Amino acid sequence: MIEILKKEVEERIKRPVRNRGDCELISNAILETLNLDISYNTLRRLYGLAPYTKPNIKTLNTLAMFIGYKNYIHFSQTHQFKDKVDLSQITYKAVADGNNDFIIDLVIKTRHSNENFISFITLLIRELFHIKNYQLLDSLFKIEELKYDNFTYSEILDFGNSIGLLFRKNSEIDPILLNNKNFLRCVFLTFVDYSNLNGYYGEFAEKIKKNNIDYEISLFSTALLEFKNYINLNPINKIKINNRIKLNPILNSRLIALKLISKSQSDIESILDNYYIKIKKKANIIDYSYELFISAILTKNVVLMRYIIEKINFNTKTEYYYQKHHLNCYYLMCMFYYRINGLTILERKFFNLFDDNTIRYSYEDFIKTLYGIYLFDKSKTEKQKVMFKEKYDLMSKKLRYPIFSDSFIENYFT
């Protein structure tokens, strides 16, 4: 943004800044028009005519005012909005024209020059899905600029969840994308749709598992289908794992959760001891525990809940924004554990920490169903119980998972 500011200053004086005289010209012009003093040496450093030092906010504010803005923040916000509008218009026209080569070139250039790349690429991908241009989508997800490893995890979550939401209204997808490894990593593995394991998402998982294009993606699909078995009250099959291949933290937590679901409670502590010894040096231990929180509630596994609460020291000051959702699920598990054990003060503490507004979209229906079970039991009047039971019935009908029966909500805390 500073580079854009410098160019606009040059446009204001109608000449490029190449020497000391140009800097003196700007300094004098600012003094005459704004009655503000800015040293020509400061300008020389800014334009690279002297050893560079980062400009302070006073300098940036003065230059922004010189070209007609209130201050530097006003300049930045105005330009970001302008860039976003212009890029949106270019995107709509390119998609309407069907110029595939231009679109690919636009993505490459925008990736290297625009701060709003995630917003731009999300808009573009959604537009291409709407017109069902799967061939171009396949090509885009193969270029270097859209590779999974070139994004931060937070960017992937924004991108993947925004695209994944499309499938809830239109689950049609060309098989070509279910064979595109990068598309699967960016979208399918990111938007894990717990609301549709008996719908399109479970069907995708079956197809992807058969395609077997990547070990981790196939393992992810297998684990998800076994979890689907559990919530449909079907037997869980044992999953063979290649321990020599490094897996992402959340997949690790899903696999250990499945293992615990199929074991008796007497085996749990030794399994968890071995698991946490292997990952004890990992900084993001909450990621390695995430699926355990949900599984502990779903299976009413008090031993698992107690182990996590007593032995795992979670840092409640999360390093990444997405971990707020993970931590929120931990709070929910703690609420269940302390209610089961009648520890009212601790239950109230975690009840106040839990925020049902920070649940990620793809998990929202599932987690709010669990939360509804808690609220049902917590209700002090029959009217409240009826209200929460009706909400639970609507949600269980929507999800179509046999595990969420009348008996499950009515007897959970018994």
Side-chain angles (χ1 to χ4, degrees), residues 13-67:
I13 65 169
K14 295 182 170 55
R15 63 197 285 180
V17 177
R18 292 176 177 168
N19 53 47
R20 170 178 166 170
D22 297 327
C23 294
E24 289 177 343
L25 174 63
I26 297 170
S27 178
N28 292 332
I30 289 174
L31 184 62
E32 289 175 10
T33 56
L34 300 175
N35 197 28
L36 293 174
D37 186 32
I38 183 169
S39 166
Y40 72 85
N41 281 322
T42 298
L43 295 168
R44 286 177 68 225
R45 288 191 291 271
L46 180 66
Y47 280 92
L49 302 173
Y52 180 83
T53 57
K54 186 177 180 180
N56 60 39
I57 192 63
K58 182 180 177 182
T59 298
L60 297 175
N61 284 339
T62 302
L63 291 173
M65 291 165 65
F66 179 58
I67 59 174

Side-chain angles (χ1 to χ4, degrees), residues 78-90:
T78 302
H79 259 274
Q80 285 175 354
F81 176 74
K82 180 177 180 295
D83 288 346
K84 188 173 182 179
V85 171
D86 290 348
L87 199 54
S88 298
Q89 291 172 349
I90 292 170

Side-chain angles (χ1 to χ4, degrees), residues 175 177-181 184 188 203-222 225 240 242 245:
L177 288 177
L178 296 184
N179 281 283
N180 186 310
K181 179 179 174 180
L184 296 176
F188 177 71
E203 292 172 7
F204 284 1
E206 292 280 7
K207 292 174 182 176
I208 293 164
K209 180 183 175 183
K210 289 177 182 176
N211 291 344
N212 195 28
I213 61 170
D214 175 87
Y215 176 76
E216 186 173 15
I217 293 172
S218 296
L219 186 60
F220 173 92
S221 302
T222 301
L225 291 169
K240 293 182 180 179
N242 185 344
I245 296 178

Side-chain angles (χ1 to χ4, degrees), residues 115-164:
E115 296 175 4
N116 298 315
F117 181 72
I118 293 298
S119 299
F120 156 70
I121 197 63
T122 300
L123 171 69
L124 173 61
I125 297 298
R126 288 176 67 93
E127 285 296 307
L128 293 175
F129 266 110
H130 282 308
I131 64 171
K132 300 181 181 179
N133 191 340
Y134 299 118
Q135 289 293 336
L136 179 54
L137 284 166
D138 182 56
S139 297
L140 283 172
F141 276 101
K142 288 177 179 176
I143 66 174
E144 185 66 25
E145 285 71 17
L146 256 64
K147 289 287 179 66
Y148 178 93
D149 293 333
N150 289 332
F151 296 97
T152 67
Y153 189 60
S154 294
E155 286 176 330
I156 283 291
L157 284 176
D158 287 345
F159 176 49
N161 279 281
S162 298
I163 303 303

Side-chain angles (χ1 to χ4, degrees), residues 5 36 57 62 74 104 122 139 142 155 162 187 207 237 245 248-249 251 270 288 308 320 328 361 378 410:
L5 177 64
L36 293 174
I57 192 63
T62 302
H74 179 220
I104 291 173
T122 300
S139 297
K142 288 177 179 176
E155 286 176 330
S162 298
V187 180
K207 292 174 182 176
N237 301 302
I245 296 178
N248 78 64
L251 179 53
S270 61
Y288 281 90
I308 293 172
Y320 303 108
N328 205 36
Y361 296 137
K378 187 180 175 65
E410 291 166 359

